[in-house]
Amino acid sequence: MSKRIISIVITLLCVFSILALPTYAAGNISDTLHSVSAMQNSGGTPYGTPMRAKTDNTSVYVKNSAISGGAMSCWVNRSNSANSGGDVDRFYGVDAGEYGASQNQKYVPKGTYYYLPNYVYEDGYRYAGVGFIMRVEGVYYEFLWSPDSI
């Protein structure tokens, strides 16, 4: 009988520990692959990813998984619409027009990852995207990103 009670207690503890996960684990942390070719520009043209829901105040995650590309400079864009290109998040300075963020851009070499600080959620915006500038022409870039990190 005591083995059965111990077994029930252990089962209940496992169930309660699963239910007690912190709320930050519910963020939008799934990676999205973004691919872009820099075959026909100088590599200095800014681009942006589609917007995704931002569900908490964590950093945006980005990993430069380029096959033939090199380093890229990244920042966070913010919006209240999934269908918008967004504006540069205030952590990265004022939007400098066609050149993207004006300060605090993160230099992300090939094969590395970074957490991009931002104030998207704190400032009341509900969508985030990654703005980026490729540093090399004639190559193909790929990177993984998610709007929330843990």
Side-chain angles (χ1 to χ4, degrees):
M1 181 76 171
S2 66
K3 287 183 180 182
R4 185 173 181 191
I5 291 173
I6 291 172
S7 175
I8 290 171
V9 169
I10 290 173
T11 302
L12 288 173
L13 287 173
C14 288
V15 168
F16 287 131
S17 66
I18 290 170
L19 295 175
L21 284 175
T23 56
Y24 65 80
N28 191 357
I29 60 171
S30 63
D31 285 343
T32 296
L33 180 65
H34 189 80
S35 303
V36 65
S37 172
M39 297 298 185
Q40 298 180 5
N41 67 43
S42 65
T45 303
Y47 291 90
T49 65
M51 296 300 213
R52 290 181 54 198
K54 179 87 172 118
T55 62
D56 60 31
N57 62 358
T58 58
S59 296
V60 169
Y61 167 84
V62 63
K63 178 182 180 186
N64 184 348
S65 57
I67 296 168
S68 65
M72 45 194 265
S73 293
C74 298
W75 61 90
V76 176
N77 291 327
R78 62 188 188 178
S79 176
N80 275 318
S81 168
N83 299 321
S84 166
D87 296 316
V88 174
D89 181 72
R90 69 180 164 103
F91 180 83
Y92 299 93
V94 297
D95 189 344
E98 64 179 304
Y99 299 106
S102 62
Q103 63 186 13
N104 295 333
Q105 292 181 16
K106 295 294 182 185
Y107 182 75
V108 185
K110 180 177 165 180
T112 61
Y113 68 91
Y114 282 93
Y115 294 100
L116 304 176
N118 64 85
Y119 297 106
V120 173
Y121 192 81
E122 294 87 340
D123 287 348
Y125 293 88
R126 293 298 171 246
Y127 293 90
V130 175
F132 59 97
I133 296 174
M134 301 171 288
R135 295 293 176 200
V136 179
E137 65 179 299
V139 294
Y140 183 75
Y141 282 81
E142 280 188 350
F143 64 93
L144 298 167
W145 77 282
S146 66
D148 299 322
S149 62
I150 51 174

